[in-house]
Structures are given as structure tokens and as C-alpha cells.
Amino acid sequence: MKKIAVFGATSAIAAETCKAFAADGAEFFLVARNELKLQSVKQDLLVRGAKNAFTYQIDITKTEGHQALIAAAEDDLSGLDGVIIAYGTLGDQEESQKSFEYAKQELNTNFLSVVSLLTEVANRFESKTRGTIVVISSVAGDRGRQSNYVYGAAKGGLSIFLEGLRNRLYHKGVHVLTVKPGFVDTPMTEEFKKGPLWASPESVGKAIYKAVQKKRNVLYVPCFWWGIMFVIRSIPEAVFKRLRL
Amino acid sequence: MSYHSWGRYPQVEQKVEHLRWLSEIPSFEANSSYLTQGMARSYGDSCLNANGQILSSRSLSRIISFDISSGIIEVESGITLAEILDFSVTKGWFIPVPPGTKFVSVGGAIANDIHGKNHHTQGTFGRHVLSFRLLRSDSQQLICTKDSNSKLFSATIAGLGLTGVILSAKIQLKKIASAFIDSETIQYKGLDEFFELSGDSDKKYEYTAAWIDCVSSGDKFARGIFYRGNHAAKETQTKAGSKSFAIPVPIDFPAFALNKWSMQAFNTFWFHKQRIPKVSKICHYDPFFFPLDGVLNWNRIYGVRGFFQFQCLIPPETAREAIREIIEKTINSGKASFLAVIKQFGALKSPGMLSFPREGTTLTMDFANQGAKTQAMIRELYKMVLASGGSIYPAKDALMTEQMYKKSYPNWEEFLEFKDPKFSSSFWRRVMGENS
């Protein structure tokens, strides 16, 4: 990946991932809502070796701007061979239960708007028969739990969408990487009590970089989350529904 | 939530707010007390603010600019020395002062005016700080250098985070020809041999420090291993192992794991690790400077009760006598120090108003926390330090009294003029006598 569009570029995981690609002299098209934050990230990546970096300020959950957005990325970078989609919200589950409008917004941010971006990107990469697509999903999408199943449904839907996309684009030489982070110490999880299962955004960023080089399909990060989710997925539903998770 | 520093003593309740962007400045409320915290690698309570507010700078880890020809790097204050090294070494630049761990933030390095194996040639970290941006609780942001806001510059270096938030800093890095160190490790027997070896080595080697056995007595008293080295020239670069894999300590060791006998065994093993009195080799900078970083969470070997660090500085006039007495006292107390380090500081003056390093000898020991007995023993050692005209390093302290602090850091009164009124720490309240 040398010409990379990053959606949610000011997220901790995205910025850390970009650091690794910057050292290889990549060029970036950085998309987020806040221009001042974008400038901080841009400056850091340029110092770390990025050949070039452009910023684009937009509310990415509004899908009507997506076509122009991708076109602008291709324009600025004179081409595009990679995308990183890293934005998302960990909404309030109780709010989602009370209000469909709230739940819909969560589903739009974490799933539908991502599908919109992926549709644009996939068709372009498919016709060029190359490209890398990196999307941050979540272990929360592996099984629905009462504590966050709306977020989980969005991420679960996203993971399945990516499976299908990978299956379709594999034959066209396009690599799709689904990243499933466990607990990561980022602004999204600021309120949570941290423990030994937690990872830093730096280590997650480095792991994503390596997974792109190795053309991995699904990356659980830290890797022990594969084991945890294997166990959680294996619990029979008759038992699972009785648990308070 | 309950928090502690690297020494795991004391445990305090405090609120934590994360600083994530230089463009998003926190608001300071009336009647609240604030303290910036980076990696919380201080050992005592200087990075804690019991019942107050912590501003964590951990996410301020971006590089703002770097000039490869001059080696001047401007960084956000939460970036660690490890992160700077990862970036700069391949470009031929090294941190000017490497401390015992690379997992400290630049803000913390400034606020404690840290030192390393090259104190005798380079002085403290603060001497290599060209400027920094300081946020005060009245929301003013000041650029401080040696020449502008110079008093605040001097108060903030070693100012224990009490003058406001260091947002970003410009540091002069050091030019190197390779990532490797031409090193020598030499066995010595007794303090006289240490001082002699140190006196010779400090003229020819940029980096010197020694491990010292503070457990054994008799003819093994104060034996140790002296480490010295210089950055290797390019042509001597070898394939010698670079980064080693860091081993985590997954559990808290039980209290009985570290006792007099296991310490004795460890110290004997460490002394005889090399079979010949002197070993020369070229090694990567990581094991040379940061051997303990190879064991992540090594503080867990002291168990849940944590441990106390003791680091003193004794001025040259009284150093030999006082260091000998302190080690004797330690051995007689039966409280063994697992790892002890001794080094001669040079005469280069620190820019900080409250800097710990000055010319003399520094001795570092650590003691598992076994309650009141341990504290009493350390307080005895503190008295000996004070009597010899020495001082204790605040970054490693959890026990100093108001009287001792004010006597050994006479600039504290001048410092008060520059301290931010809304900033405080558990350490500061203790040594100012505000707790009583």
C-alpha cells in the first residue's frame, strides 16, 4: 500500500497504523471531521517519512458525499491502492434499546456508511485488479450479547459483508483484511476499567501493518482474542442465552 | 479508581482525564488540583495526585518536526524515549541522555530532569532541551527557553510537573554512527576499586555505571561489575543481536520469593556471570542501556505490596565514607536490595531549579515493601544522607519528610513563585507539609 485513503484518520488505531506505512514512504489521504486534529496527524506522518499527505474534512456518516470523496482521494494521490476504514462509535446500548432512531444512527455509522464507502472502493479496485482494503470491525460482532448487541450487530454485519467482498475480490487480486480488535485503550473506551486483556493502539497499529504485508484475511488483535472468541462462539445458544454478558 | 506508580506504593484514588490533542486544551476548574502524568514510571508519589485530577499525556505521542541535519526534534510531550529511538536511530541520531528505562515520556524526562550513564559527559536531560510549550491553568501557553521565560524554563525542568502542562518540547539529539556500543564489563572488589575505576573510565568513556553488591559482607563487601562504553564507529558495526524479545512478568510474585537467601544467590550469580575479570564486546544499545526493559512489568516480582526505591546523591567530600556506611547499614539491617547501582555524577550544572543531579556519587537500591520495618530502615538511611550533605531523588521517593526536602532542596522557596497555583501532587503536599 503506497497510496492510502484513511477514513477516520484521527482515530487512535488509524493513526498508529499509518505511522508504520509512513516509514515506507506512503502517501495519505486523511479523512475525518476535525481539521485541526487532521493537521496534527498529517504533520506526524510527514515527519515519519510519508511522501505526501492530504486532508479532507467531512462527516463521513453522510453517505451522499462518498462518491466525491473517493474521487478526490484518487485525484490528490493520482491513484489509490489502499484504504483503511477505522471510524466508528461505541454507542449506548440502553439508548439503542429505547430509541430506534438512536439504534439506526449506530447502525448507519458502524455498518451502512461503511458499506457505502466499500461499494465505491470495491468497484474501483475490482476494475484495476489490485488494491488493499483494511476495515476495523470488532470481536463484538462475533456473537450478540445483551450488553452491546446493536453495536455487535453492526460490526457482525460488517464482518459478513467483508467476508463476501473478500470472496468476490480475491479472484480480482484485491486483498480484504478484516481487523477484529478486542479491548484497545482508545478514546472510545475511555470510561472502561483497564486490565491485562487490554492492548495499546500502537501494538494494534503494528499488527495491522504486518497483517497487510502477509495478506491475512481476518486479524484478531491481540491474537489471544481469537481463542477467547472461539470459546464464546462455541457455547451452545441454550446455555449462552442464560449468561449475563 | 485506585492508581499507583511503578513502585506500587502508595495506592491513591484520583480522576484521570486524557490529553489527546494539542488543539484541545483541558479546562481548569476552580478548587481542583491537577497534575500531568506520562508513563507513571516514577517510583513513589511524585506522579500521583491523591483525590485530585490527573491529566494523562500518554496519547500526545506525535512528532511535530525533525531536522535530520541538525538533529533537532520537536515532539508532543507524551511520546516515549523508546518511540523517539525507534524513529531516530536509523537516521543516525540518539537520545542525548539515556536513563535506565526507555519507557518514559519526554514530559516526564523534563519534569524530573532525568540522568543516565553519561551524566559525567552530558549532564542531565534538561541540558538538551531547547524549548518547550507550557500550558498554565489560566489557559496561557508560554514558549520557554533559556532566554525567554527563562525562570519558568528553569523551574519547569525538574519541576515535577507542578508548573503546568508541558505540551511539546524541542530536544537536541546526539549524532551517532551506529546503533551499537563498544562496551566493557569489569569486575571490581570494594569501593576503593570502584572509585579508581570510575575516575579512570569517566575520562575515556561516554557511558559509565556500576552494579554493586549490597548484600554480601566480609571480603565480598561492595564488590560489583563496572559497565563502560562508547558509541561504536560505523566500521565496527556487527550483526550482534539487536532487539531482544521482551519477557512479560505475568503474575505478582508471592512475598517469600525475594528473601535474604535468594538475594544472596542472585548477587553471587550476577557477580560471577562473567568468568573473567574483564569482558569487551560490541552490543546493541538496547541491552547496554535498558537491560531491565527486557523484562516487562519487572516491578511485579516485588508482589502486590510493591517496593521502595532509594536513590541518593552524596557530594564528593563525604561520598566515600557515607556510601560505605549506607551499604553497611543496609547489610546489617538484613533488608537486601535486589539490584543496586552506583555512579559518579560529573560537574556539569543542571538547568533545573530543583534538579537532583549534581557533582558526587549516586547510589540506587530497592527494597520490597515489608511494612513499617522497611520504612523505618529507609528513614535511617535518609538521615545518613542528610547528615553527609546529600539529597534524595524525588522521582524515586515515597518517604521523604518536609524537613529533609526543604533542607536538601533549598531552592524550593524560589520555586513557589513559578509553581502553578492549580497544580499539585501527592509528593508535593507531603514535602510541603500540607498533609498534616
Side-chain angles (χ1 to χ4, degrees), chain A residues 115 118-119 121-123 133 135 158-171 174-176:
Chain A
V115 168
L118 287 173
T119 304
V121 171
N123 292 339
I133 295 172
V135 184
L158 181 57
S159 294
I160 290 177
F161 184 92
L162 290 166
E163 268 173 24
L165 194 66
R166 181 180 303 114
N167 189 210
R168 167 186 154 202
L169 295 180
Y170 170 75
H171 307 281
V174 178
H175 172 213
V176 178

Side-chain angles (χ1 to χ4, degrees), chain A residues 139-149 228-245:
Chain A
V139 293
D142 278 15
R143 192 147 195 189
R145 294 173 300 125
Q146 64 176 346
S147 58
N148 71 347
Y149 62 84
I228 295 175
M229 295 322 292
F230 179 78
V231 171
I232 289 188
R233 280 196 314 269
S234 312
I235 301 172
E237 189 63 18
V239 177
F240 197 81
K241 70 177 179 188
R242 293 165 206 270
L243 304 175
R244 295 194 177 276
L245 288 167

Side-chain angles (χ1 to χ4, degrees), chain B residues 108-376:
Chain B
I110 297 172
N112 291 288
D113 198 15
I114 60 167
H115 56 270
K117 286 187 170 78
N118 61 355
H119 185 272
H120 60 287
T121 56
Q122 298 293 328
T124 61
F125 193 86
R127 293 185 79 249
H128 308 273
V129 175
L130 303 174
S131 70
F132 51 80
R133 180 183 287 271
L134 188 70
L135 169 70
R136 304 276 290 181
S137 64
D138 58 9
S139 294
Q140 261 198 93
Q141 290 190 30
L142 302 164
I143 305 285
C144 304
T145 71
K146 251 185 282 183
D147 305 313
S148 82
N149 295 313
S150 59
K151 281 284 197 178
L152 203 47
F153 181 75
S154 158
T156 301
I157 293 174
L160 301 170
L162 299 166
T163 58
V165 183
I166 301 167
L167 292 173
S168 62
K170 253 187 204 168
I171 314 288
Q172 175 66 60
L173 298 182
K174 180 193 161 59
K175 185 100 192 119
I176 49 168
S178 83
F180 293 84
I181 303 288
D182 263 323
S183 75
E184 284 190 345
T185 55
I186 305 161
Q187 288 177 337
Y188 65 87
K189 291 183 177 122
L191 282 171
D192 289 337
E193 270 189 40
F194 162 77
F195 281 107
E196 197 181 324
L197 199 49
S198 183
D200 284 350
S201 306
D202 287 356
K203 290 176 207 133
K204 289 175 282 184
Y205 292 86
E206 170 156 15
Y207 301 103
T208 66
W211 164 76
I212 186 163
D213 181 342
C214 291
V215 180
S216 309
S217 51
D219 58 352
K220 293 170 186 161
F221 178 78
R223 65 180 171 177
I225 310 269
F226 196 90
Y227 298 86
R228 60 189 191 186
N230 283 314
H231 288 285
K234 193 145 210 139
E235 51 271 25
T236 60
Q237 192 168 342
T238 70
K239 284 186 195 126
S242 61
K243 281 197 176 164
S244 47
F245 178 71
I247 311 155
V249 176
I251 54 156
D252 296 322
F253 278 33
F256 59 81
L258 293 186
N259 55 45
K260 221 183 337 185
W261 297 280
S262 65
M263 300 276 194
Q264 179 76 57
F266 173 80
N267 277 269
T268 299
F269 161 76
W270 201 256
F271 184 78
H272 291 293
K273 207 166 68 128
Q274 60 187 70
R275 303 247 179 81
I276 46 173
K278 180 168 159 181
V279 174
S280 306
K281 64 174 179 186
I282 294 173
C283 64
H284 189 260
Y285 72 82
D286 250 335
F288 183 78
F289 290 114
F290 314 115
L292 280 176
D293 288 346
V295 186
L296 299 173
N297 316 106
W298 62 262
N299 55 343
R300 301 187 76 168
I301 64 173
Y302 286 98
V304 284
R305 296 180 78 183
F307 66 107
F308 294 98
Q309 270 257 333
F310 165 91
Q311 182 169 2
C312 66
L313 177 282
I314 312 284
E317 313 81 70
T318 49
R320 285 183 189 229
E321 191 65 15
I323 296 282
R324 180 183 310 280
E325 284 170 8
I326 288 170
I327 298 174
E328 275 169 359
K329 176 101 187 162
T330 305
I331 292 170
N332 292 338
S333 77
K335 298 264 181 297
S337 170
F338 189 31
L339 270 179
V341 174
I342 184 168
K343 162 151 183 73
Q344 291 274 70
F345 280 163
L348 290 167
K349 214 175 139 17
S350 303
M353 208 175 269
L354 297 176
S355 288
F356 162 72
R358 59 189 155 111
E359 191 171 12
T361 307
T362 187
L363 174 69
T364 309
M365 299 188 279
D366 41 36
F367 301 100
N369 178 14
Q370 293 163 341
K373 274 191 296 184
T374 315
Q375 297 198 13

Side-chain angles (χ1 to χ4, degrees), chain A residues 10 37 44 187 190 202, chain B residues 20-21 24 58 62-63 87:
Chain A
T10 55
K37 292 180 184 177
D44 180 65
E190 194 163 307
E202 294 94 300
Chain B
R20 301 198 187 269
W21 303 93
E24 275 181 4
R58 189 57 203 99
R62 298 171 198 96
I63 305 175
F87 168 77

